[in-house]
Amino acid sequence: MSFVDLGFARVDTDRRTRRGFPEVIFCAGKLPEQVLSIARTLLDADGIVLGTRATREHFEAVVAEFPDARFHTAARCITIVRQSMPAMVGQVAVVCAGTSDIPVAEEAAVTLDTFGSAVDRISDVGVAGIHRLIAVRDRLESCNAVIVAAGMEGALPSAVAGLVSKPVIAVPTSIGYGASFGGIAALLGMLNSCGSGVTVVNIDNGFGAAYAAANISRLLSLQSAS
Amino acid sequence: MSFVDLGFARVDTDRRTRRGFPEVIFCAGKLPEQVLSIARTLLDADGIVLGTRATREHFEAVVAEFPDARFHTAARCITIVRQSMPAMVGQVAVVCAGTSDIPVAEEAAVTLDTFGSAVDRISDVGVAGIHRLIAVRDRLESCNAVIVAAGMEGALPSAVAGLVSKPVIAVPTSIGYGASFGGIAALLGMLNSCGSGVTVVNIDNGFGAAYAAANISRLLSLQSAS
Amino acid sequence: MSFVDLGFARVDTDRRTRRGFPEVIFCAGKLPEQVLSIARTLLDADGIVLGTRATREHFEAVVAEFPDARFHTAARCITIVRQSMPAMVGQVAVVCAGTSDIPVAEEAAVTLDTFGSAVDRISDVGVAGIHRLIAVRDRLESCNAVIVAAGMEGALPSAVAGLVSKPVIAVPTSIGYGASFGGIAALLGMLNSCGSGVTVVNIDNGFGAAYAAANISRLLSLQSAS
Amino acid sequence: MSFVDLGFARVDTDRRTRRGFPEVIFCAGKLPEQVLSIARTLLDADGIVLGTRATREHFEAVVAEFPDARFHTAARCITIVRQSMPAMVGQVAVVCAGTSDIPVAEEAAVTLDTFGSAVDRISDVGVAGIHRLIAVRDRLESCNAVIVAAGMEGALPSAVAGLVSKPVIAVPTSIGYGASFGGIAALLGMLNSCGSGVTVVNIDNGFGAAYAAANISRLLSLQSAS
Amino acid sequence: MSFVDLGFARVDTDRRTRRGFPEVIFCAGKLPEQVLSIARTLLDADGIVLGTRATREHFEAVVAEFPDARFHTAARCITIVRQSMPAMVGQVAVVCAGTSDIPVAEEAAVTLDTFGSAVDRISDVGVAGIHRLIAVRDRLESCNAVIVAAGMEGALPSAVAGLVSKPVIAVPTSIGYGASFGGIAALLGMLNSCGSGVTVVNIDNGFGAAYAAANISRLLSLQSAS
Amino acid sequence: MSFVDLGFARVDTDRRTRRGFPEVIFCAGKLPEQVLSIARTLLDADGIVLGTRATREHFEAVVAEFPDARFHTAARCITIVRQSMPAMVGQVAVVCAGTSDIPVAEEAAVTLDTFGSAVDRISDVGVAGIHRLIAVRDRLESCNAVIVAAGMEGALPSAVAGLVSKPVIAVPTSIGYGASFGGIAALLGMLNSCGSGVTVVNIDNGFGAAYAAANISRLLSLQSAS
Amino acid sequence: MSFVDLGFARVDTDRRTRRGFPEVIFCAGKLPEQVLSIARTLLDADGIVLGTRATREHFEAVVAEFPDARFHTAARCITIVRQSMPAMVGQVAVVCAGTSDIPVAEEAAVTLDTFGSAVDRISDVGVAGIHRLIAVRDRLESCNAVIVAAGMEGALPSAVAGLVSKPVIAVPTSIGYGASFGGIAALLGMLNSCGSGVTVVNIDNGFGAAYAAANISRLLSLQSAS
Amino acid sequence: MSFVDLGFARVDTDRRTRRGFPEVIFCAGKLPEQVLSIARTLLDADGIVLGTRATREHFEAVVAEFPDARFHTAARCITIVRQSMPAMVGQVAVVCAGTSDIPVAEEAAVTLDTFGSAVDRISDVGVAGIHRLIAVRDRLESCNAVIVAAGMEGALPSAVAGLVSKPVIAVPTSIGYGASFGGIAALLGMLNSCGSGVTVVNIDNGFGAAYAAANISRLLSLQSAS
């Protein structure tokens, strides 16, 4: 198994072979030149780069060398796509409970798009007005998987899981105040969901939810092709 | 303002005048003879006794002297009613998310009954099958207030609050496992409810929720009588 | 049941019919133009707008289009009132333990006012000088409900509940230092209140307490009218 | 959408149609006769019963009426299978870090088996001897999904996710001592996994992980059949 | 500075000279013969023994050798007094909020008595009926110091501190349920007390509070004698 | 009992009579004009003002009207002394574990000085070099009480309590990093101190510790005078 | 690298070669026959068995087959030594703060003894009587490393580290009450130790501390032999 | 035992004699002139100064008087070396899981270098690509000790401990997001490590880990010299 040693980082160029998707750059806490240097290595290896939790400084370092780099402001992501990932069958729903959860949902959507999955975005269907959710039930059921981002009490994944048969991946967001404790209330709500089979990723981890959902679509695509 | 000093306790015989409802005995941590002694004092003052968190030992000490005492097993309550509280207008709904929340709901129901309020009990309408809740919407709306007991992620009060116009009082229960942490997950879920106006009492505190709901019915009855 | 889909938000224009009060805009985390857009929709539907946790930037976006919008600085609220809510019987007391709790109390007061309830504000009656509280007992007793905002150890709701017969709704505030943990000490104090029937809302959630209190006044007004 | 109202419970007989798998009985906190009564209803509706967190008392109440009921001691599960779920393509790996994690892994394995999925059980491959894990890499890669149960520091899902391309569903177990805090250390470790796409269920929730994994196999089977 | 090495323990026989009071045996977690052996050493050195958190087994081992040993059941203390500590001026008030706090208050009272201080016990004066506390204000003010034991929300020390000029030492007790978390709510309430100068000891630590109060009386006695 | 109602505050002008020391202004969260207004009222009533947690803005508002106001930068305190408190017998030691704890110790020292107590400041005697503490043992023993401010693991109060006979009042400070959690580690260390009779105040609460220590000196002074 | 697959466990028979010490059996949560089976495998591979957290049931299963097995009651350990580990140079000090910490210290001592290290046991030298610790300073300094087990506030490692030059390995114990939280207070105290270079193991983990200390002695022995 | 009293600090000039390494300045929370003053004292006593958690302001105050002072930006350390510590045998590995952990690793590396130990830096070998770690196994095994800095789930120390025989000292870093809680997830992961003998220091405490590792090298050097 191969890797490229940049001194400050050992880029796992074997990742795509081993895991199905290439390595992604978690930009937070890295210097712009470090992000650029890793991007360069990944572009060589895979022809595709996704950087999450990126600042505009990270982007400027990258775009100076790779003018085809794009910055997704709401999602805080950098992408460079020279060799697209193969398009996968079906689509993934990205649902959010409230307007404030949109940045986390966008990180998921950009990741899905980069990984070759179509996305159906649905916003502001929190349980305080459950008729808004019931109105989109068929759209949800028609997807391969449903990502649900919610803050505050994190009740939405339970309600979604009660309505559809597709895998539900819950992302607690750090939205809320008082005793929401930066997403802990939502996280606990989701872990204790009465909706069977809901799985959970870290607070604000839109990327991780998208990775898991895309992987299901990837397996379905392989099955479909076989 | 009066009280009766029993040495180990100062019974607040002025409570009913001042607060609308008589003092109630929180039996946990008290010796059976202490519960009996306080019951004797309250019976003298108010003609009515409610003991919560009572064990069978507490009850046996009380019933030996007061044969008309009743033990409500599921609710863990003792009652002696010689002088009923005046019947209040309307009723209070006591809803629980799952079968395991019934003991907490029963503590609420016995308290309401003792305080003069009719009760409408509704069980097992958790959000994993939201159609079960929608089916009882009109029953909920017809009450003065709705008490909602739920464990696990505590999402039910939000869903109820989204459907009806009546005050919703949420009781987190210690039901659940793993990261439910004895009711903390449900408590946080309820405090962070996206359903406006939901208020919350302590974990498993069916009595407190019933007290608050009964007080609303008491005010409505006074208004009705005026 | 209706809603208006703005893309980023689904405004619940059915809320007032279903719940008695119109939808309110929680401005935190929303862009100024999003707040404006929702305000426009709600004004159409209900003729009244309340935005909480608003910044001056939110207000400026709104007032540019609706010159009759008002900004309540201490309460951090925006209001536009073209069609007043019907005035309700009685009033609600808004009590705070110390001077620093005033912003939370003001959020409650503005909400009550917008919803049609008269307000009696009482400041700085913490338990360290209990005679200051006893001096206002009759004012408290004459209200429909009492909202008590307190930080630090959150003891005031217990003391109030011991003195009056009206519903007490406790709001922990994030005021304090050291082991107050941003309001957790007050929150726990209130949840564990020895004052029967005290109910609690989230830390700093003056709006939620006001909603619950206004709802009691609304029911009393309906009863009174019937 | 249908349900059966047993008074203490509203059995969701519509669940299988809506969600792909029938309702399952969470036995903890329920009386033996309640479990029996729900089992009777589900058997009527679906021809298959799975009860989790069951005690021997629960089982004895069930087996007295349904002699073909089985008790899975290690997994603490009751099953009655009159109408098997259709066998799904492929299998699911159930991996555990240490011998003490086996009960949780067994709950997952019994659930998978009941839901129609083949299972590959792999025990005691914790990271303290990483060569034991590398030795089973091909077995893991050949499955549809990998469930990883681990206590203590919960590091195994990260290591597994680094080696294979299939979805990894992590189950923290309450195994450990001292600062493992009943599974919190493992839960946090898994939520913060550096292995992209790991999703997490509640502490000791073998059932939930199995549900999510079986759902992936169900979708693959549907795709395969189409 | 001297000590006696018993192998399993090094008894600090210099303690009384250095600190004003002799060493006390914390019996919890010690074998009965260990408690006996330390008691023997302390009796030799100081003529007085106090063992806290003692079980009946501890007592039986001690009384078999020292027939004048006494067991204080409610306080869970063993005492042997052959050489009384000199009587100190004044007395210390030991106040408890509710009946359930009495065991902790008794540990304080027995410690004070053993150390030579008179005690004024006052029970069940919680803030839910503040008139019960105001009725004893003069008794409190006449003491050298006031120990206040309270569970639940721990509000009583603040109220006491607001009424009297004497040092208030607060003892949170583990009484309560739900979100009292074994005394944490009371502990936080007391640490955040708005009553200036309240100091706090560990949960259920009646001994520690009594030690601190007795030390104030000791200093006042020395001052008085000078 | 009297108070002055300023609208936003009810100044407790009866405090000194009732409690021995005048009311003190906790400036944090108050507007400069509010601090000034309260200061004016207290100066009228008592001739002495102490404001804690004051910013330079608070001071500037006060000094503009009362040119004899002083700002104690390290202690973050404002004082105006027109009528000194009577000097008390003896002195109080204010000890800190490290250089970084000095601001908290200074808040204590300024409070003591304002209340009429002499102060002996001792810095940087943490347990990592225990000989530095042993060197000052006699100075500590000669005081009426010892205040010990420490962050990190908060071990110093235990060591001090082991060496001297005087009351030890521990102040955890928010100094430290990593798992010190803003003073929680020190707070827990002090609450669990093996040094009998150590009492604790809130994190960084130098004022509270000084109040308690001054009160002991006040009682000794009264005893001395009698 | 080798291992033996027992089905329920994969015994790491390569451990001693790779890590210097053989695999040890953590008995908690394992069935007696599982412990026996692993013991049999390890005895074959290494000629030496150490089982920690063992119950008498575990021991009886083992001693029935291996009559030379020993049970160390206080330490809760099983040992079978057919081929001793080579004796290492020097010794390791095992210090405990109080009598109640002895079980944890004994687990460390038995581990050290099994691994070939001499042990110097020192009990009850807590900081409340610091002269007891200073009296053993030379014994501590003469060892290769010092293990310090302490509960309550966990201050002893800091004091030891301040006195000697040898590595200090701290073991928090779950001894204490109230806010010691089962060892968390001691754990935090040790992590925040002002004594440079103190390292910490899990609560009650005497084995882990001994492993680390024995490893230092092993390296010193190798250096000495070279 | 000597110390130098600077008023605000008591510099422990006896430290090197007693503990093997000189006192180090923890700069956080100290004024630049305080750091300078302590540096002056230590330079006099030991000829070597190490300041950790230093800002550029601290450095500028020091370098103005001591032009040979160096600032290590990544490590946030100041060093002045006039009299080198004697070079120790062997080297210490400083490993970090990801690029973002480098600052903590650098604090360790600068400390080791200042204390006379050679350092082998190894970056970005997290468990998500375990082949990167296996590739450096021989380098790790050839060192005296291995420091492992990791954030997120903190799994790397377990993996390292499973591969090599040398002491592993784990440093949790505050790197991560969501439920990493500023390093708590990593800290708990490391405390619960299944890798026997891993010891842990405080979050981000690279200095403490280096001190412990250097001390092992110091003992090996002494043994080697004897």
PDB file of all heavy atoms in Angstrom, chain A residues 27-32 35 51-62 71 76-78:
ATOM      1  N   CYS A  27      -9.243  20.749   6.064  1.00  0.00           N
ATOM      2  CA  CYS A  27      -8.367  21.933   6.028  1.00  0.00           C
ATOM      3  C   CYS A  27      -8.160  22.614   7.384  1.00  0.00           C
ATOM      4  O   CYS A  27      -7.147  23.286   7.590  1.00  0.00           O
ATOM      5  CB  CYS A  27      -8.918  22.955   5.038  1.00  0.00           C
ATOM      6  SG  CYS A  27      -9.050  22.322   3.353  1.00  0.00           S
ATOM      7  N   ALA A  28      -9.127  22.480   8.286  1.00  0.00           N
ATOM      8  CA  ALA A  28      -9.038  23.195   9.563  1.00  0.00           C
ATOM      9  C   ALA A  28      -7.711  22.887  10.260  1.00  0.00           C
ATOM     10  O   ALA A  28      -7.320  21.728  10.390  1.00  0.00           O
ATOM     11  CB  ALA A  28     -10.209  22.813  10.460  1.00  0.00           C
ATOM     12  N   GLY A  29      -7.016  23.945  10.699  1.00  0.00           N
ATOM     13  CA  GLY A  29      -5.769  23.755  11.421  1.00  0.00           C
ATOM     14  C   GLY A  29      -4.565  23.514  10.531  1.00  0.00           C
ATOM     15  O   GLY A  29      -3.462  23.316  11.031  1.00  0.00           O
ATOM     16  N   LYS A  30      -4.763  23.517   9.214  1.00  0.00           N
ATOM     17  CA  LYS A  30      -3.617  23.362   8.309  1.00  0.00           C
ATOM     18  C   LYS A  30      -3.277  24.709   7.692  1.00  0.00           C
ATOM     19  O   LYS A  30      -4.158  25.529   7.425  1.00  0.00           O
ATOM     20  CB  LYS A  30      -3.936  22.350   7.203  1.00  0.00           C
ATOM     21  CG  LYS A  30      -4.096  20.930   7.675  1.00  0.00           C
ATOM     22  CD  LYS A  30      -4.049  19.924   6.510  1.00  0.00           C
ATOM     23  CE  LYS A  30      -4.137  18.495   7.031  1.00  0.00           C
ATOM     24  NZ  LYS A  30      -5.452  18.166   7.652  1.00  0.00           N
ATOM     25  N   LEU A  31      -2.016  24.936   7.412  1.00  0.00           N
ATOM     26  CA  LEU A  31      -1.588  26.150   6.739  1.00  0.00           C
ATOM     27  C   LEU A  31      -2.024  26.092   5.273  1.00  0.00           C
ATOM     28  O   LEU A  31      -2.091  25.001   4.692  1.00  0.00           O
ATOM     29  CB  LEU A  31      -0.063  26.289   6.820  1.00  0.00           C
ATOM     30  CG  LEU A  31       0.495  26.353   8.242  1.00  0.00           C
ATOM     31  CD1 LEU A  31       2.020  26.303   8.212  1.00  0.00           C
ATOM     32  CD2 LEU A  31       0.010  27.623   8.942  1.00  0.00           C
ATOM     33  N   PRO A  32      -2.279  27.260   4.640  1.00  0.00           N
ATOM     34  CA  PRO A  32      -2.664  27.272   3.220  1.00  0.00           C
ATOM     35  C   PRO A  32      -1.675  26.505   2.345  1.00  0.00           C
ATOM     36  O   PRO A  32      -2.078  25.746   1.463  1.00  0.00           O
ATOM     37  CB  PRO A  32      -2.710  28.767   2.889  1.00  0.00           C
ATOM     38  CG  PRO A  32      -3.081  29.417   4.182  1.00  0.00           C
ATOM     39  CD  PRO A  32      -2.384  28.606   5.245  1.00  0.00           C
ATOM     40  N   VAL A  35      -2.253  22.804   2.636  1.00  0.00           N
ATOM     41  CA  VAL A  35      -3.423  22.362   1.874  1.00  0.00           C
ATOM     42  C   VAL A  35      -3.079  22.266   0.388  1.00  0.00           C
ATOM     43  O   VAL A  35      -3.398  21.279  -0.292  1.00  0.00           O
ATOM     44  CB  VAL A  35      -4.612  23.317   2.108  1.00  0.00           C
ATOM     45  CG1 VAL A  35      -5.752  23.026   1.125  1.00  0.00           C
ATOM     46  CG2 VAL A  35      -5.105  23.200   3.552  1.00  0.00           C
ATOM     47  N   GLY A  51     -11.630  19.637  -0.444  1.00  0.00           N
ATOM     48  CA  GLY A  51     -11.125  20.151   0.840  1.00  0.00           C
ATOM     49  C   GLY A  51     -12.295  20.653   1.659  1.00  0.00           C
ATOM     50  O   GLY A  51     -13.048  21.508   1.192  1.00  0.00           O
ATOM     51  N   THR A  52     -12.453  20.147   2.884  1.00  0.00           N
ATOM     52  CA  THR A  52     -13.566  20.592   3.735  1.00  0.00           C
ATOM     53  C   THR A  52     -13.054  21.529   4.818  1.00  0.00           C
ATOM     54  O   THR A  52     -11.866  21.603   5.080  1.00  0.00           O
ATOM     55  CB  THR A  52     -14.256  19.378   4.407  1.00  0.00           C
ATOM     56  OG1 THR A  52     -13.303  18.730   5.251  1.00  0.00           O
ATOM     57  CG2 THR A  52     -14.789  18.401   3.379  1.00  0.00           C
ATOM     58  N   ARG A  53     -13.980  22.231   5.460  1.00  0.00           N
ATOM     59  CA  ARG A  53     -13.634  23.216   6.488  1.00  0.00           C
ATOM     60  C   ARG A  53     -12.551  24.187   6.015  1.00  0.00           C
ATOM     61  O   ARG A  53     -11.626  24.518   6.746  1.00  0.00           O
ATOM     62  CB  ARG A  53     -13.158  22.526   7.788  1.00  0.00           C
ATOM     63  CG  ARG A  53     -14.123  21.513   8.355  1.00  0.00           C
ATOM     64  CD  ARG A  53     -15.372  22.215   8.849  1.00  0.00           C
ATOM     65  NE  ARG A  53     -16.484  21.296   8.938  1.00  0.00           N
ATOM     66  CZ  ARG A  53     -17.001  20.867  10.080  1.00  0.00           C
ATOM     67  NH1 ARG A  53     -16.538  21.312  11.222  1.00  0.00           N
ATOM     68  NH2 ARG A  53     -18.011  20.047  10.085  1.00  0.00           N
ATOM     69  N   ALA A  54     -12.685  24.585   4.779  1.00  0.00           N
ATOM     70  CA  ALA A  54     -11.700  25.477   4.188  1.00  0.00           C
ATOM     71  C   ALA A  54     -12.069  26.937   4.414  1.00  0.00           C
ATOM     72  O   ALA A  54     -13.243  27.295   4.436  1.00  0.00           O
ATOM     73  CB  ALA A  54     -11.592  25.217   2.683  1.00  0.00           C
ATOM     74  N   THR A  55     -11.051  27.768   4.605  1.00  0.00           N
ATOM     75  CA  THR A  55     -11.260  29.212   4.660  1.00  0.00           C
ATOM     76  C   THR A  55     -10.943  29.792   3.282  1.00  0.00           C
ATOM     77  O   THR A  55     -10.381  29.127   2.411  1.00  0.00           O
ATOM     78  CB  THR A  55     -10.311  29.855   5.681  1.00  0.00           C
ATOM     79  OG1 THR A  55      -8.980  29.573   5.254  1.00  0.00           O
ATOM     80  CG2 THR A  55     -10.522  29.276   7.074  1.00  0.00           C
ATOM     81  N   ARG A  56     -11.263  31.062   3.128  1.00  0.00           N
ATOM     82  CA  ARG A  56     -10.928  31.725   1.874  1.00  0.00           C
ATOM     83  C   ARG A  56      -9.403  31.777   1.670  1.00  0.00           C
ATOM     84  O   ARG A  56      -8.925  31.714   0.529  1.00  0.00           O
ATOM     85  CB  ARG A  56     -11.530  33.143   1.870  1.00  0.00           C
ATOM     86  CG  ARG A  56     -11.507  33.846   0.529  1.00  0.00           C
ATOM     87  CD  ARG A  56     -12.604  34.883   0.380  1.00  0.00           C
ATOM     88  NE  ARG A  56     -13.905  34.276   0.133  1.00  0.00           N
ATOM     89  CZ  ARG A  56     -14.326  33.855  -1.083  1.00  0.00           C
ATOM     90  NH1 ARG A  56     -13.563  33.985  -2.150  1.00  0.00           N
ATOM     91  NH2 ARG A  56     -15.516  33.307  -1.209  1.00  0.00           N
ATOM     92  N   GLU A  57      -8.642  31.824   2.745  1.00  0.00           N
ATOM     93  CA  GLU A  57      -7.179  31.815   2.641  1.00  0.00           C
ATOM     94  C   GLU A  57      -6.700  30.490   2.041  1.00  0.00           C
ATOM     95  O   GLU A  57      -5.796  30.462   1.198  1.00  0.00           O
ATOM     96  CB  GLU A  57      -6.517  32.020   4.013  1.00  0.00           C
ATOM     97  CG  GLU A  57      -6.610  33.436   4.539  1.00  0.00           C
ATOM     98  CD  GLU A  57      -8.062  33.872   4.836  1.00  0.00           C
ATOM     99  OE1 GLU A  57      -8.839  33.038   5.356  1.00  0.00           O
ATOM    100  OE2 GLU A  57      -8.426  35.012   4.510  1.00  0.00           O
ATOM    101  N   HIS A  58      -7.296  29.409   2.524  1.00  0.00           N
ATOM    102  CA  HIS A  58      -6.945  28.115   1.937  1.00  0.00           C
ATOM    103  C   HIS A  58      -7.236  28.135   0.428  1.00  0.00           C
ATOM    104  O   HIS A  58      -6.410  27.730  -0.390  1.00  0.00           O
ATOM    105  CB  HIS A  58      -7.766  26.986   2.591  1.00  0.00           C
ATOM    106  CG  HIS A  58      -7.389  26.678   3.991  1.00  0.00           C
ATOM    107  ND1 HIS A  58      -8.291  26.694   5.031  1.00  0.00           N
ATOM    108  CD2 HIS A  58      -6.208  26.330   4.553  1.00  0.00           C
ATOM    109  CE1 HIS A  58      -7.674  26.376   6.148  1.00  0.00           C
ATOM    110  NE2 HIS A  58      -6.414  26.150   5.893  1.00  0.00           N
ATOM    111  N   PHE A  59      -8.413  28.625   0.099  1.00  0.00           N
ATOM    112  CA  PHE A  59      -8.819  28.626  -1.315  1.00  0.00           C
ATOM    113  C   PHE A  59      -7.879  29.453  -2.166  1.00  0.00           C
ATOM    114  O   PHE A  59      -7.480  29.051  -3.261  1.00  0.00           O
ATOM    115  CB  PHE A  59     -10.253  29.136  -1.452  1.00  0.00           C
ATOM    116  CG  PHE A  59     -10.686  29.266  -2.878  1.00  0.00           C
ATOM    117  CD1 PHE A  59     -10.795  28.136  -3.696  1.00  0.00           C
ATOM    118  CD2 PHE A  59     -10.964  30.509  -3.428  1.00  0.00           C
ATOM    119  CE1 PHE A  59     -11.193  28.247  -5.022  1.00  0.00           C
ATOM    120  CE2 PHE A  59     -11.354  30.624  -4.768  1.00  0.00           C
ATOM    121  CZ  PHE A  59     -11.467  29.494  -5.557  1.00  0.00           C
ATOM    122  N   GLU A  60      -7.501  30.622  -1.658  1.00  0.00           N
ATOM    123  CA  GLU A  60      -6.650  31.503  -2.468  1.00  0.00           C
ATOM    124  C   GLU A  60      -5.296  30.863  -2.745  1.00  0.00           C
ATOM    125  O   GLU A  60      -4.744  31.007  -3.838  1.00  0.00           O
ATOM    126  CB  GLU A  60      -6.501  32.866  -1.790  1.00  0.00           C
ATOM    127  CG  GLU A  60      -7.693  33.761  -2.159  1.00  0.00           C
ATOM    128  CD  GLU A  60      -7.956  34.875  -1.160  1.00  0.00           C
ATOM    129  OE1 GLU A  60      -7.044  35.186  -0.358  1.00  0.00           O
ATOM    130  OE2 GLU A  60      -9.079  35.432  -1.177  1.00  0.00           O
ATOM    131  N   ALA A  61      -4.770  30.158  -1.777  1.00  0.00           N
ATOM    132  CA  ALA A  61      -3.510  29.456  -2.021  1.00  0.00           C
ATOM    133  C   ALA A  61      -3.682  28.393  -3.096  1.00  0.00           C
ATOM    134  O   ALA A  61      -2.806  28.188  -3.945  1.00  0.00           O
ATOM    135  CB  ALA A  61      -3.006  28.819  -0.714  1.00  0.00           C
ATOM    136  N   VAL A  62      -4.814  27.727  -3.074  1.00  0.00           N
ATOM    137  CA  VAL A  62      -5.040  26.636  -4.021  1.00  0.00           C
ATOM    138  C   VAL A  62      -5.346  27.163  -5.424  1.00  0.00           C
ATOM    139  O   VAL A  62      -4.769  26.701  -6.423  1.00  0.00           O
ATOM    140  CB  VAL A  62      -6.184  25.717  -3.518  1.00  0.00           C
ATOM    141  CG1 VAL A  62      -6.575  24.708  -4.595  1.00  0.00           C
ATOM    142  CG2 VAL A  62      -5.757  25.001  -2.245  1.00  0.00           C
ATOM    143  N   PHE A  71     -14.668  27.458  -4.957  1.00  0.00           N
ATOM    144  CA  PHE A  71     -14.923  27.598  -3.531  1.00  0.00           C
ATOM    145  C   PHE A  71     -16.428  27.617  -3.307  1.00  0.00           C
ATOM    146  O   PHE A  71     -17.135  28.430  -3.908  1.00  0.00           O
ATOM    147  CB  PHE A  71     -14.288  28.877  -2.985  1.00  0.00           C
ATOM    148  CG  PHE A  71     -14.320  28.958  -1.486  1.00  0.00           C
ATOM    149  CD1 PHE A  71     -13.733  27.959  -0.712  1.00  0.00           C
ATOM    150  CD2 PHE A  71     -14.935  30.018  -0.824  1.00  0.00           C
ATOM    151  CE1 PHE A  71     -13.753  28.017   0.676  1.00  0.00           C
ATOM    152  CE2 PHE A  71     -14.964  30.086   0.561  1.00  0.00           C
ATOM    153  CZ  PHE A  71     -14.370  29.086   1.310  1.00  0.00           C
ATOM    154  N   ARG A  76     -18.275  25.771   2.826  1.00  0.00           N
ATOM    155  CA  ARG A  76     -16.866  25.922   3.219  1.00  0.00           C
ATOM    156  C   ARG A  76     -15.979  24.832   2.601  1.00  0.00           C
ATOM    157  O   ARG A  76     -15.127  24.265   3.278  1.00  0.00           O
ATOM    158  CB  ARG A  76     -16.737  25.892   4.754  1.00  0.00           C
ATOM    159  CG  ARG A  76     -17.365  27.097   5.436  1.00  0.00           C
ATOM    160  CD  ARG A  76     -17.514  26.859   6.927  1.00  0.00           C
ATOM    161  NE  ARG A  76     -18.367  25.704   7.171  1.00  0.00           N
ATOM    162  CZ  ARG A  76     -18.501  25.081   8.338  1.00  0.00           C
ATOM    163  NH1 ARG A  76     -17.822  25.505   9.386  1.00  0.00           N
ATOM    164  NH2 ARG A  76     -19.314  24.055   8.489  1.00  0.00           N
ATOM    165  N   CYS A  77     -16.191  24.531   1.331  1.00  0.00           N
ATOM    166  CA  CYS A  77     -15.439  23.471   0.648  1.00  0.00           C
ATOM    167  C   CYS A  77     -14.700  24.008  -0.579  1.00  0.00           C
ATOM    168  O   CYS A  77     -15.176  24.910  -1.250  1.00  0.00           O
ATOM    169  CB  CYS A  77     -16.373  22.357   0.161  1.00  0.00           C
ATOM    170  SG  CYS A  77     -17.100  21.377   1.465  1.00  0.00           S
ATOM    171  N   ILE A  78     -13.553  23.393  -0.835  1.00  0.00           N
ATOM    172  CA  ILE A  78     -12.816  23.614  -2.082  1.00  0.00           C
ATOM    173  C   ILE A  78     -12.940  22.348  -2.925  1.00  0.00           C
ATOM    174  O   ILE A  78     -12.782  21.245  -2.393  1.00  0.00           O
ATOM    175  CB  ILE A  78     -11.315  23.856  -1.803  1.00  0.00           C
ATOM    176  CG1 ILE A  78     -11.115  25.113  -0.957  1.00  0.00           C
ATOM    177  CG2 ILE A  78     -10.516  23.940  -3.099  1.00  0.00           C
ATOM    178  CD1 ILE A  78      -9.700  25.245  -0.384  1.00  0.00           C
TER     179      ILE A  78
END
